[in-house]
Amino acid sequence: FFVAKAFGVKVETFSIGFPPRLFGLKHGDTEYCIGALPFGGYVKMAGEAIGSGTGAPTDLTSHPRWQRILIAVAGPFANFVLAFGLMTGLYMMHNEVPVYLSSPAVLDFVPANTPAARAGLQSGDRVIRFGDSTNPTWDVVEQRSAVDANSTVPITVQRVVNGQTRQFSTELYLSTPSRGAAPELSALGLLPVLQNTPVTIHDVVPGDPAAKAGLKAGDAVVSVDGVAVHGISSIIAVLDQAGNKPANLVIQRNGHQFSISVQPIWAHFAGQKPGYRLGFSPNPPPYRVEQLPLGAAARHSVDYNLRSSGFILDVLHRLFTPHAGAVVQQLSGPIGIARMTGEAAEMPGWQPIIQLSALISINLGIMNLLPIPILDGGTILLLVIESTFRRNIKQEVLERVYNVAVVMLILVFAFIMVNDISKLSLFSKLKP
């Protein structure tokens, strides 16, 4: 809107929400209105639609292609600015720092075939030396791992053997997934004790294994396959190590414990490596609240948004792999977003809802930049092609390209809507 106005393009409509129009007012050449469908908004410019241009200087198509490219880029750019602003403000007012980071580095679970397992480390070990650091916290372990990446560090741990505390020394090679990146502690096999209590279930996904097995919000997962777990990362590691086998869970409910067998499913969730999952979200581990200065808050915001963007791009990449079917099943549309928004609103504090808002904004920005006609990215691509060949694409060709794109997007949207509806608890109860 602002970039179009700055270049002298006539903006006919600025709408929050999509038609039907609820109410609005007209100021100058622009009608500002509120639409009934809360799926975002749009800016309608004169001469924007194919064949609607009149040749007037205020028409979009009367302006140089470089200006039209900047107008198309401005929408997704605003999504990224919004996400950055939301997270910066959150970190300045309410930065949640997990308590385990300042706690002694105690291992919760050590997966087999990881560097930590090959070094002889075991569940329950307390790290009393990590490189040059003595009695490190998990925060120190993370920092030292980044500094000593792609090198071997000496480690000493305390271990209880037959009721006696003993020391065990070894060496650990801190391998990294890519050059210049910090080692991932989970990939090394260093899974921390995130809390001193079992993992409590916040919500179960309708239709997924946890829901089918009868697990409920408020249940606590005491152990998985005989392994006591104190964090969701440990649960995931145990499931992935077992593979496609039923998981034996010990559940605590209302002060009583019982055992249950659950068959995991292979899933691809944004922000996680693909693996076996049960289909529930946990309550967050204990945390403390800090208020960061502007500079630090901005850096944290950039890190969060870059990670989130990487997760989204990773999901898009997986759509073109042999596991695309599992990825597609995890996609969500308006119904899924509404459900996640409700869950975030029920959580304590503002952090869940603001993080979800930022994530949705980043999603919109990246999706709109995809080179698909009728999206901003498609508009940019066509303008670049026209600029390269220094002539306009024929109107008949544009109409066919846009018609195909509209049909494809409608089909994808319909599939995602059906996928969302199938996940509702009403329909999951009808499944065998």
Side-chain angles (χ1 to χ4, degrees):
F1 173 82
F2 286 121
V3 176
K5 285 280 193 179
F7 287 141
V9 176
K10 179 182 177 182
V11 178
E12 298 177 347
T13 306
F14 178 91
S15 177
I16 297 176
F18 286 88
R21 175 182 178 276
L22 294 179
F23 57 87
L25 58 88
K26 189 166 186 178
H27 179 72
D29 294 329
T30 306
E31 181 185 24
Y32 302 85
C33 62
I34 302 295
L37 300 178
F39 294 161
Y42 66 93
V43 174
K44 181 183 178 184
M45 293 167 279
E48 181 178 13
I50 297 176
S52 65
T54 61
T58 55
D59 280 1
L60 177 65
T61 50
S62 298
H63 286 70
R65 294 189 184 94
W66 68 268
Q67 291 186 357
R68 285 183 273 164
I69 290 175
L70 289 179
I71 292 172
V73 169
F77 178 75
N79 286 123
F80 299 134
V81 170
L82 174 61
F84 172 78
L86 285 172
M87 294 308 299
T88 299
L90 177 64
Y91 287 130
M92 290 180 66
M93 301 300 295
H94 189 87
N95 179 41
E96 296 181 1
V97 180
V99 171
Y100 84 90
L101 286 174
S102 57
S103 301
V106 179
L107 300 177
D108 191 28
F109 174 65
V110 180
N113 299 320
T114 59
R118 289 191 288 270
L121 300 181
Q122 299 178 5
S123 302
D125 285 351
R126 174 180 174 177
V127 180
I128 58 175
R129 182 190 174 198
F130 191 90
D132 297 332
S133 301
T134 303
N135 293 322
T137 62
W138 279 112
D139 193 21
V140 171
V141 170
E142 288 187 356
Q143 294 175 16
R144 294 305 309 174
S145 297
V147 172
D148 298 327
N150 290 317
S151 64
T152 300
V153 297
I155 293 181
T156 302
V157 299
Q158 280 185 347
R159 180 181 301 166
V160 177
V161 180
N162 297 325
Q164 295 183 345
T165 301
R166 299 180 181 178
Q167 292 188 2
F168 173 77
S169 296
T170 184
E171 291 183 337
L172 178 65
Y173 180 71
L174 304 177
S175 59
T176 60
S178 60
R179 187 172 182 178
E184 297 180 6
L185 296 186
S186 59
L188 296 174
L190 302 176
L191 299 177
V193 172
L194 299 181
Q195 57 197 57
N196 295 322
T197 56
V199 178
T200 304
I201 296 175
H202 172 75
D203 183 49
V204 295
V205 180
D208 275 10
K212 292 179 179 179
L215 297 182
K216 303 177 180 178
D219 289 349
V221 182
V222 178
S223 66
V224 181
D225 290 340
V227 178
V229 287
H230 303 86
I232 188 64
S233 55
S234 298
I235 294 178
I236 292 174
V238 174
L239 293 175
D240 287 343
Q241 181 171 289
N244 190 26
K245 297 179 181 179
N248 296 311
L249 277 60
V250 174
I251 302 298
Q252 182 172 302
R253 178 185 296 170
N254 299 326
H256 301 283
Q257 291 188 2
F258 61 92
S259 299
I260 191 171
S261 179
V262 184
Q263 175 63 55
I265 57 172
W266 182 267
H268 294 246
F269 291 107
Q272 299 179 13
K273 293 181 179 179
Y276 290 96
R277 304 292 183 265
L278 300 179
F280 71 83
S281 58
N283 285 328
Y287 62 86
R288 66 178 187 276
V289 176
E290 294 180 351
Q291 293 181 334
L292 298 180
L294 176 60
R299 289 193 298 272
H300 277 67
S301 178
V302 170
D303 290 342
Y304 175 85
N305 287 305
L306 286 177
R307 287 198 308 271
S308 299
S309 300
F311 297 153
I312 297 166
L313 293 174
D314 181 49
V315 170
L316 291 174
H317 168 71
R318 292 177 188 171
L319 289 173
F320 300 95
T321 66
H323 298 291
V327 180
V328 169
Q329 293 299 321
Q330 307 304 325
L331 297 179
S332 294
I335 295 175
I337 292 173
R339 181 176 62 82
M340 288 186 288
T341 302
E343 293 173 0
E346 291 176 355
M347 294 182 182
W350 286 95
Q351 182 153 337
I353 195 71
I354 291 178
Q355 284 183 326
L356 180 61
S357 299
L359 185 61
I360 291 174
S361 191
I362 294 172
N363 266 280
L364 288 174
I366 291 177
M367 297 301 292
N368 272 325
L369 284 176
L370 293 178
I372 300 174
I374 81 171
L375 298 180
D376 292 320
T379 299
I380 295 169
L381 175 63
L382 294 175
L383 288 171
V384 169
I385 292 174
E386 289 183 345
S387 299
T388 302
F389 292 98
R390 297 184 179 181
R391 63 179 181 180
N392 294 331
I393 299 175
K394 292 182 179 181
Q395 183 174 322
E396 295 82 3
V397 175
L398 286 177
E399 288 179 348
R400 291 178 181 177
V401 169
Y402 277 100
N403 287 338
V404 171
V406 168
V407 172
M408 294 300 296
L409 285 179
I410 290 176
L411 291 175
V412 171
F413 187 78
F415 173 81
I416 292 177
M417 289 285 287
V418 172
N419 195 36
D420 275 347
I421 294 173
S422 68
K423 295 178 183 177
L424 297 177
S425 58
L426 171 65
F427 292 90
S428 65
K429 293 177 181 178
L430 302 179
K431 296 178 182 180

